[in-house]
Amino acid sequence: MSARILVAEDDVKQARLIRIYLEREGNEVQIVADGRSAVDRARSSRPDLIVLDVMMPNVDGLDVCRILRAESQVPILLLTARATEEDMLLGLDLGADDYMTKPYSPRELTARVRALLRRAKAAGRTESAVLAVGDLEVDTSRFEVRVAGEPVVLTGKEFAILTVLAGEPGRAFTRAQIIDRVFGFDQNVLERTVDAHVMNLRRKLEKGRAGTRYVETVYGRGYRLSNGVGEVR
């Protein structure tokens, strides 16, 4: 079972060893050495699975896991030197699918990767992850958005915000919650930045659809995706 696998590991020797074993299985492997690059590469290359080291520079693996899980169902295997039960549970609670502590056997790692890929294929996670609300469809595996069947081109941040909102239609998210899920490691984002992205998102979703409201403002709270998406009001 060949797959596109992203390995985020700052230890050069470990990364090389993982690549060797995974490529022996026929997989296409990409390597990045820090958390920020892991997020960017995952968004641009859409891997079938991510092997993610917890202790990395710039942004640690737990933050990477949290950010990516908010916008994708890609299987994530965490690697860490932290061996306590609390650390393991934290990683799983953030959305990791499996967890291995260092030192580990490369053969066991490849076996776990195979198992995660089989599980994802059976569940259809890597083939289709479409959030459908009314006439709005958000395909998180293909990074595509359609309104009434027509494609809508969004920026990466607009897509990430829409994914958060579409994951729980009707729930009101504060600007701080959106910043945490979408921008994650960037601590300098202002709430008005979220407002600007939402304004552009609305304009693109509602273009040519007078009276239709997709993203609603919840005064004193933030934003939510309307449960009645596609209804003219």
Side-chain angles (χ1 to χ4, degrees), residues 76-79 91-92 95-100 112-113 115-116 119:
I76 297 174
L77 171 61
L78 283 181
L79 303 176
L92 296 175
D97 296 270
D98 202 356
Y99 192 102
M100 293 185 69
R112 293 201 186 198
V113 166
L116 286 174
R119 193 183 311 160

Side-chain angles (χ1 to χ4, degrees), residues 21 77 99-100 103-114:
Y21 274 81
L77 171 61
Y99 192 102
M100 293 185 69
Y104 53 83
S105 161
R107 293 178 61 189
E108 181 183 356
L109 184 145
T110 56
R112 293 201 186 198
V113 166
R114 285 196 302 269

